[in-house]
Amino acid sequence: MRKKILVVDDDQRILNLYMRLFEAVGLSMFDIVTMPDPYLATEYVLREKVDVVILDLRMPKVNGQKFYEALKEYNPELKVIVSSVYPIDKQRKMVPDATGYYDKSCGPIQLVEKVANVLVNCN
Amino acid sequence: MKFSPRKIQFKKTESPKEKKSKSRRFQRRNSFKFEVTALITLVVGIILMVFSCVLYWILSHTLHVDMDNELKIKAETVNQAIRVYVDVRGEKPESLKYAIEKAVVEENLHNTRWWMFGFQRRWSEQLDDLDLDEVYINFASSKKASLFRSKNMDSELTNQFLTQVEIDVNNKSVFKNLNFNDQRIRIINYPVSYDGESYYCIQIGASQRPIVVLLENWLKSTLYSIPAVLILTFFVGQLFASRILSPIQKITSTAKTIADGDLSMRMEAQDYYVEMNYLIDAFNEMIERLERSFHHIEEFSSHVAHELKTPLTIIRGETELASLEGRNTEDYKRALGIILEETENMLTIIEDLLFLSKLDYRPEFPQMKKMDFVEFFREVSEQSRILVNEKKIQLLIDIPNEKIFVIGDSVHLRRLFFNLINNAIKYTPSQGKIQLNLVRKNKEVMVSVKDNGRGINKEDLENIFERFYSSNDEDSGVGLGLNIASTIAKVHKGHIEVVSLPNDGATFQVFLPIV
């Protein structure tokens, strides 16, 4: 069964990059869905089965922390990798119990590794 | 040989502790407390010295005048007594001689006067009351010969007295000073005319020793007491200064805590002097401002870091992606294109931030000149025609035909209006409409930039001019453009207002003062 990864980030350039990245590294066996709008993303999580969410903590319309809590409330089993340009210790302070943390400036290959780890542990 | 680092002799440098104690020692002498106390002591010392000198002079003068008056009274009384005797006994030389002899030589001889009667006895007693045994009395003729002298005078003293004889032609008393055997004697020369022609002179001398002794004692006690008073003043002054300065020590310790990084500390205004409470208030206000600006700087640098990290993230991502195996020329071209774009983005952000910091902290940066604003804005609006062409936006320009002058930097003002116009173009749909109006309003000129885009949300309206505020729109940018516009307006003593309803376009109004 194909796993579904949802990327929520307000920056379209980042979304484009991740799209192409996951395609390139051969994770195309997973469905990648990108959402710039957190509200739409919430609706999507309610509607569809999502395995991993890559969540930007700093978005203009909604506080990343609140959004994380809302996601967890809908689906406590959901794996969420918090992603931001903030350093990881700061991210951990903001969202203490996320499945993973990713510093955007560390390069996208690291993100792919983190996602793969989460999915392997999942199985 | 075993290497021992401790044996190495370095040039002796002062340890911080030594430095501190040295500076404390220096501070003790240089402290406000010491200075105030020393100053008070000095002033008290000067006042005491001046006061003592004046007092000494007055005392000495009064004592000498008193002595002269007493001598004069004695001389007058002796003379009167002689006259009275002569008047009673008849103006015969014998009577005069007898009277003088009695008055000078035999005064104060109670025991030998038991035989006297009536007038003579009363007269003798009157002479007794003058207390003449302490003074020297000499009767000198106008030829400076001693007629009679009191018994306490020896011949040497008498000769000295005679050297001081001076008979005033106007019958006035003449005072003389005589130094004799280590003592100063004050002498009155009281001229007497008898028989209408021949003069003689009553000389009465009194030792000035009691006055000298009194003044000396007074001077000694004063000289001893002044240092004592000064020492006391110094210590009492120190106590008072300590009491007055105690709030300053508290302020210092609070300042030290703050210097250690705790900006939330505040001084409590207590039962101090009003001036100290003013100081405490000012101090607290300063700390509050510091705390605010620290917070502001923290927030600002976090914003800057975020805004610069995002393009760097993309650059790194694209580079990593391009270095994966199996990428083709198309992929490389795209990656390089994106990297170039992000690099330009970063440069723009950095240039904008530098520009803003210059506007904020270097008041001389804008080159203000008187300028014809109508002419200037006409140029700006004509140039913006090129910008709107791409989206086929209709540009309506309404500029009056009059001269309005403002003081401004045309380069910065151009940037202000192009930021607003570009913003309007960004949010105006293709074939939309943008209106540029220039109106004189009292002492201000108002330029409005009105678009018919989707308008601005209510929550965005309040924060739209804040630095790094960006709305949720995908193409809203970093959040510096409108902040730059508003900062430029502020530098020109003007301001920007924004009116907008969702889906009804937005109107930005720039107000600038007219010269």
Side-chain angles (χ1 to χ4, degrees), chain B residues 388 391 393-396 419-437 447-457 461 464 473 482 497-509:
Chain B
V388 297
K391 277 175 93 176
I393 292 170
Q394 190 190 356
L395 188 65
L396 303 171
N419 276 7
L420 293 182
I421 291 165
N422 278 325
N423 200 56
I425 293 170
K426 193 153 83 179
Y427 292 104
T428 304
S430 279
Q431 296 176 346
K433 192 171 73 179
I434 292 176
Q435 277 176 277
L436 301 179
N437 286 345
V447 174
S448 63
V449 180
K450 186 177 190 311
D451 66 58
N452 67 344
R454 57 174 179 262
I456 303 162
N457 291 330
L461 265 184
I464 201 163
D473 300 313
L482 287 179
E497 286 173 13
V498 57
V499 188
S500 174
L501 287 171
N503 302 318
D504 194 32
T507 309
F508 285 88
Q509 296 172 324

Side-chain angles (χ1 to χ4, degrees), chain B residues 189-249:
Chain B
N189 288 302
Y190 187 83
V192 179
S193 64
Y194 175 69
D195 221 3
E197 48 182 275
S198 64
Y199 283 88
Y200 67 91
C201 172
I202 304 175
Q203 282 190 308
I204 300 181
S207 170
Q208 286 183 331
R209 185 181 291 280
I211 295 179
V212 172
V213 170
L214 184 76
L215 285 176
E216 259 177 16
N217 285 342
W218 186 87
L219 205 61
K220 261 186 213 161
S221 57
T222 308
L223 285 180
Y224 288 138
S225 58
I226 284 179
V229 169
L230 290 184
I231 290 169
L232 193 70
T233 308
F234 186 80
F235 283 108
V236 172
Q238 287 259 319
L239 279 180
F240 274 109
S242 298
R243 214 179 107 78
I244 290 167
L245 292 176
S246 69
I248 288 193
Q249 272 169 353

Side-chain angles (χ1 to χ4, degrees), chain B residues 327-459:
Chain B
R327 309 306 285 168
N328 57 32
T329 320
E330 204 57 38
D331 292 330
Y332 294 143
K333 271 190 182 166
R334 181 162 53 187
L336 288 175
I338 292 173
I339 289 170
L340 184 64
E341 201 179 305
E342 291 308 323
T343 315
E344 277 166 3
N345 268 347
M346 279 172 66
L347 285 174
T348 311
I349 293 172
I350 291 167
E351 271 164 15
D352 283 354
L353 284 174
L354 285 176
F355 177 75
L356 277 172
S357 79
K358 274 188 198 165
L359 278 188
D360 284 347
Y361 300 111
R362 280 176 50 192
E364 77 285 358
F365 172 56
Q367 295 181 333
M368 300 296 204
K369 271 183 209 150
K370 190 175 172 183
M371 56 192 269
D372 182 348
F373 188 74
V374 176
E375 189 54 39
F376 160 81
F377 193 68
R378 208 185 298 279
E379 254 174 55
V380 169
S381 43
E382 286 309 321
Q383 284 164 1
S384 47
R385 280 193 195 283
I386 308 159
L387 299 172
V388 297
N389 276 347
E390 199 182 326
K391 277 175 93 176
K392 296 201 171 68
I393 292 170
Q394 190 190 356
L395 188 65
L396 303 171
I397 302 170
D398 183 9
I399 299 174
N401 241 339
E402 59 173 317
K403 286 216 181 286
I404 298 173
F405 288 96
V406 301
I407 288 193
D409 182 321
S410 60
V411 178
H412 297 339
L413 285 178
R414 192 180 298 275
R415 185 162 187 175
L416 186 167
F417 291 113
F418 276 117
N419 276 7
L420 293 182
I421 291 165
N422 278 325
N423 200 56
I425 293 170
K426 193 153 83 179
Y427 292 104
T428 304
S430 279
Q431 296 176 346
K433 192 171 73 179
I434 292 176
Q435 277 176 277
L436 301 179
N437 286 345
L438 192 157
V439 189
R440 178 200 277 269
K441 279 200 167 180
N442 297 329
K443 287 180 176 174
E444 285 181 319
V445 57
M446 185 194 86
V447 174
S448 63
V449 180
K450 186 177 190 311
D451 66 58
N452 67 344
R454 57 174 179 262
I456 303 162
N457 291 330
K458 206 180 164 192
E459 61 262 35

Side-chain angles (χ1 to χ4, degrees), chain A residues 28-42:
Chain A
S28 47
M29 58 198 86
F30 304 105
D31 286 333
I32 308 286
V33 182
T34 58
M35 293 260 168
D37 188 333
Y39 291 119
L40 292 178
T42 326

Side-chain angles (χ1 to χ4, degrees), chain B residues 108-308:
Chain B
N108 212 13
L109 296 172
H110 302 272
N111 297 333
T112 58
R113 274 184 294 198
W114 56 269
W115 49 268
M116 288 185 180
F117 305 100
F119 158 73
Q120 208 171 358
R121 188 181 180 117
R122 277 200 311 281
W123 181 73
S124 286
E125 279 166 7
Q126 203 180 347
L127 284 176
D128 285 352
D129 288 343
L130 282 176
D131 196 17
L132 293 175
D133 50 350
E134 288 290 317
V135 294
Y136 306 105
I137 306 174
N138 181 39
F139 276 76
S141 71
S142 56
K143 285 170 184 160
K144 293 193 180 182
S146 177
L147 301 174
F148 295 98
R149 60 171 192 253
S150 56
K151 279 194 278 182
N152 53 3
M153 292 180 73
D154 54 19
S155 58
E156 198 186 335
L157 181 60
T158 313
N159 286 337
Q160 290 288 326
F161 260 60
L162 289 174
T163 58
Q164 303 295 329
V165 171
E166 189 179 323
I167 298 169
D168 185 66
V169 282
N170 297 323
N171 262 5
K172 280 190 179 162
S173 306
V174 178
F175 289 94
K176 292 277 188 178
N177 288 325
L178 173 67
N179 286 319
F180 181 75
N181 284 353
D182 291 341
Q183 64 169 329
R184 277 164 70 87
I185 297 171
R186 184 77 169 164
I187 300 170
I188 182 171
N189 288 302
Y190 187 83
V192 179
S193 64
Y194 175 69
D195 221 3
E197 48 182 275
S198 64
Y199 283 88
Y200 67 91
C201 172
I202 304 175
Q203 282 190 308
I204 300 181
S207 170
Q208 286 183 331
R209 185 181 291 280
I211 295 179
V212 172
V213 170
L214 184 76
L215 285 176
E216 259 177 16
N217 285 342
W218 186 87
L219 205 61
K220 261 186 213 161
S221 57
T222 308
L223 285 180
Y224 288 138
S225 58
I226 284 179
V229 169
L230 290 184
I231 290 169
L232 193 70
T233 308
F234 186 80
F235 283 108
V236 172
Q238 287 259 319
L239 279 180
F240 274 109
S242 298
R243 214 179 107 78
I244 290 167
L245 292 176
S246 69
I248 288 193
Q249 272 169 353
K250 283 202 172 175
I251 294 177
T252 310
S253 65
T254 311
K256 272 185 189 153
T257 320
I258 288 160
D260 288 341
D262 183 5
L263 277 172
S264 62
M265 284 284 285
R266 294 288 181 276
M267 273 288 292
E268 268 178 49
Q270 289 172 358
D271 258 354
Y272 298 137
Y273 306 96
V274 183
E275 290 86 347
M276 282 299 168
N277 282 339
Y278 287 152
L279 175 64
I280 289 168
D281 286 346
F283 181 75
N284 282 341
E285 268 171 39
M286 187 191 78
I287 300 302
E288 206 168 309
R289 276 202 299 275
L290 265 181
E291 196 181 13
R292 270 204 304 272
S293 40
F294 268 53
H295 181 72
H296 182 76
I297 289 169
E298 218 177 353
E299 216 171 45
F300 179 78
S301 34
S302 150
H303 274 302
V304 173
H306 185 269
E307 294 309 332
L308 291 178

